[in-house]
């Protein structure tokens, strides 16, 4: 193989507000006048206009373009895995292109059709997939050995992960999913697995509508319903046989004979996400979404090796959440107001809370309580954003203190009466230009990640160097451990030593004016450098 990308562990991301059909398939005048389908030696021998390609005959070899520079074979293979067996791969590193060969033409057609409607992303970069002129890939030169090894490893993980079914996962992916409902059994359950954990993991593959959990034959089991059987299929292929935590809590997944679940109560045993108004039922505690915060910490369980599968969860975090469940008070009302407590009252300001909570939604108002200055009310744009902020920020460190975030019983945050001086403790951000989510369908919705030591920087002016940014971020009181520019230098990844330092840097430097009206944008990243 000519170009083999360096191996960096990352995830694959799907879904976007851009439709591939708009940019490649139905729009010959989209400005992409020529695309190259390099042959196996990587030469730029064929230039074809998009129009010539629109009716290209189906082939089991797919041509993938606009890949990010550091892409790995594993990430490219992961694009094809939900649709069937991947039989070969060739990357053209210098061209940011690759060829992927699937086991059958049907699998390739399913993949192209799916990604026509949902723009595929690798490392948050939209990529383009189309049929290749090649009918098969011939990659016999020595450089291709590593790609073949990666292919074999992925196939082994897949087939090793389906002891419950007779076929391998890759074969089963070729047949349509019989049901949108999955039956999930958890083996080696040394740590508690909650309904929230399952929802967080399985929602990476589509909209989870309903979950019912129960114990049968002394095993924790769940039934989980997607809105589409295709999502159930993808989740089964990617997750069957994986461990939720390091070396334990193994997922065994099969299709259920049921095609629809009937959920009567919303509590910590069952949930219908389409009907939030359901009662909690027989004295069951209402589900506490703040527990989910503890599950966003990283670890190196096997899931970290499956691109695009899940954010691996650490056993310590799971145990902490299970122990903390009793102490947390979640309100199941649909208010968008949060109560943050145990704040550092010497340091915290409405502006700093606006910036941090603004990563997860559009903060409307902030009120630091006059008689209890280590607590604040934060009004988000809606209840979903409030839940998101709570699940990601509860238990994080801000200004040296572990903050607690719960739903408030208040429906809104009151502004002080006119003429009353409340020492700047209440601030109205309703018309702030800094809201990240005011545009419907904004890309920002897809880039919401838990607080992490690695920050994603964008809107960097052309004359700013790595050294400038290292100095700037060191001044926020932390140490910059690693840095990496993206190809165009408008974006970069910057890694602080701890998550707390990264939170501090984001609060201090999001919207920082770099000169010439370039305001730096800072968010948490799921990548590592």
């Amino acid at each position: 193989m000519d170009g083999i990308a360096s191996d960096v562990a990352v995830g694959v991301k799907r879904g976007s507000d851009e439709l591939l059909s708009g940019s490649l398939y139905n729009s010959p005048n989209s400005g992409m006048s020529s695309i190259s389908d390099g042959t196996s030696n990587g030469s730029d021998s064929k230039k074809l206009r998009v129009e010539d390609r629109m009716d290209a005959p189906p082939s089991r070899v797919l041509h993938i373009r606009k890949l990010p520079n550091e892409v790995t074979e594993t990430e490219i293979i992961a694009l094809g895995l939900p649709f069937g067996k991947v039989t070969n791969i060739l990357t053209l590193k210098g061209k940011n292109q690759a060829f992927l060969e699937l086991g059958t033409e049907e699998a390739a057609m399913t993949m192209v059709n799916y990604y026509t409607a949902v723009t595929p992303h690798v490392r948050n970069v939209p990529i383009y997939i189309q049929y290749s002129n090649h009918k098969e890939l011939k990659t016999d030169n020595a450089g291709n050995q590593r790609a073949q090894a990666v292919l074999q490893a992925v196939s082994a993980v897949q087939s090793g992960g389906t002891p419950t079914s007779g076929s391998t996962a890759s074969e089963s992916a070729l047949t349509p999913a019989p049901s949108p409902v999955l039956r999930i059994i958890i083996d080696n359950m040394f740590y508690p697995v909650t309904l929230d954990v399952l929802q967080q993991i399985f929602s990476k593959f589509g909209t989870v509508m309903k979950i019912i959990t129960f114990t049968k034959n002394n095993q924790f089991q769940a039934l989980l319903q997607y809105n589409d059987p295709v999502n159930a299929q993808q989740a089964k292929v990617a997750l069957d046989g994986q461990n939720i935590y390091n070396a334990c809590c193994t997922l065994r997944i099969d299709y259920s004979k049921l095609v629809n679940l009937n959920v009567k109560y919303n509590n910590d045993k069952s949930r219908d996400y389409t009907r939030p108004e359901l009662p909690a039922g027989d004295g069951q505690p209402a589900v506490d979404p703040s527990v989910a915060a503890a599950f966003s910490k990283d670890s190196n369980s096997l899931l970290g090796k499956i691109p695009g599968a899940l954010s691996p969860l650490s056993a310590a975090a799971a145990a902490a959440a299970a122990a903390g469940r009793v102490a947390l008070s979640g309100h199941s009302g649909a208010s968008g107001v949060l109560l943050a407590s145990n704040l550092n009252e010497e340091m915290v300001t409405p502006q700093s809370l606006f910036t941090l909570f603004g990563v997860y939604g559009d903060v409307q108002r902030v009120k630091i309580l006059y008689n209890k200055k280590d607590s604040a009310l934060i009004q988000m744009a809606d209840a979903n954003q409030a839940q998101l902020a709570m699940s990601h920020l509860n238990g994080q460190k801000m200004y040296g203190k572990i903050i607690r975030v719960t739903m408030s019983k208040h429906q809104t945050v009151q502004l002080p009466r006119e003429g009353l001086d409340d020492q700047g403790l209440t601030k109205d951000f309703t018309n702030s230009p800094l809201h990240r989510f005011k545009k419907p369908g904004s890309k920002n919705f897809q880039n919401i990640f838990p607080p992490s030591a690695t920050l994603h920087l964008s809107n960097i002016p052309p004359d700013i160097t790595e050294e400038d940014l290292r100095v700037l971020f060191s001044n926020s009181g932390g140490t910059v451990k690693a840095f990496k520019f993206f190809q165009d230098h408008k974006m970069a990844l910057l890694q602080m030593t701890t998550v707390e330092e990264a939170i501090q840097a984001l609060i201090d430097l999001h919207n920082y004016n770099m000169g010439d009206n370039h305001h730096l944008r800072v968010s948490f990243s799921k990548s590592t450098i």
Side-chain angles (χ1 to χ4, degrees), residues 458-474:
S458 57
N459 207 28
I460 301 168
D463 55 340
I464 294 292
T465 64
E466 174 178 336
E467 187 54 33
D468 295 332
L469 290 165
R470 279 179 177 269
V471 168
L472 182 65
F473 278 77
S474 300

Side-chain angles (χ1 to χ4, degrees), residues 74-151:
T74 319
E75 290 170 271
I76 298 167
I77 292 167
L79 290 166
L81 281 186
F83 305 96
K85 190 170 175 61
V86 176
T87 49
N88 210 341
I89 177 173
L90 172 70
T91 60
L92 310 176
K93 192 181 177 189
K95 294 178 174 304
N96 302 76
Q97 298 181 17
F99 293 95
L100 196 65
E101 179 188 277
L102 276 80
T104 65
E105 204 170 275
E106 290 73 21
M109 287 167 72
T110 309
M111 179 169 164
V112 168
N113 289 342
Y114 177 78
Y115 288 134
T116 302
V118 180
T119 306
H121 280 65
V122 174
R123 303 191 180 204
N124 302 334
V125 175
I127 59 164
Y128 298 95
I129 297 177
Q130 63 200 92
Y131 298 118
S132 165
N133 285 346
H134 304 294
K135 289 301 176 197
E136 63 176 320
L137 280 182
K138 294 187 178 69
T139 49
D140 47 7
N141 54 344
N144 196 44
Q145 283 171 352
R146 219 193 71 151
Q148 296 305 316
V150 171
L151 258 181

Side-chain angles (χ1 to χ4, degrees), residues 316-483:
R325 171 174 275 282
V326 191
L328 297 164
S329 59
H331 296 271
S332 48
S335 140
V337 180
L338 296 167
L339 172 67
S341 54
N342 201 41
L343 300 169
N344 181 334
E345 55 186 275
E346 304 295 315
M347 305 288 289
V348 75
T349 62
Q351 184 65 46
S352 63
L353 291 168
F354 167 77
T355 304
L356 180 58
F357 281 74
V359 172
Y360 300 106
D362 291 338
V363 176
Q364 306 297 302
R365 293 175 179 177
V366 177
K367 179 190 283 287
I368 293 173
L369 303 185
Y370 188 81
N371 295 326
K372 198 172 182 320
K373 293 193 173 62
D374 71 344
S375 300
L377 293 172
I378 298 144
Q379 182 178 333
M380 308 297 286
D382 60 42
N384 284 343
Q385 292 184 1
Q387 295 272 12
L388 203 58
M390 177 172 76
S391 69
H392 284 309
L393 294 176
N394 179 50
Q396 297 289 351
K397 261 186 160 182
M398 178 184 185
Y399 296 123
K401 297 189 76 171
I402 292 174
I403 64 171
R404 292 277 157 248
V405 185
T406 58
M407 300 302 276
S408 164
K409 57 183 184 294
H410 293 282
Q411 293 300 307
T412 57
V413 169
Q414 297 295 322
L415 292 174
R417 290 198 303 280
E418 233 172 288
L420 190 74
D421 176 23
D422 80 336
Q423 302 171 1
L425 295 176
T426 308
K427 198 145 193 250
D428 187 358
F429 294 99
T430 313
N431 298 317
S432 169
L434 298 183
H435 285 158
R436 294 179 190 241
F437 304 101
K438 58 179 183 287
K439 266 201 250 161
S442 157
K443 275 217 178 86
N444 290 340
F445 282 107
Q446 285 142 38
N447 294 319
I448 296 173
F449 301 114
S452 58
T454 307
L455 297 168
H456 179 276
L457 317 182
S458 57
N459 207 28
I460 301 168
D463 55 340
I464 294 292
T465 64
E466 174 178 336
E467 187 54 33
D468 295 332
L469 290 165
R470 279 179 177 269
V471 168
L472 182 65
F473 278 77
S474 300
N475 287 344
S476 70
T479 306
V480 177
K481 201 168 138 192
F483 181 91

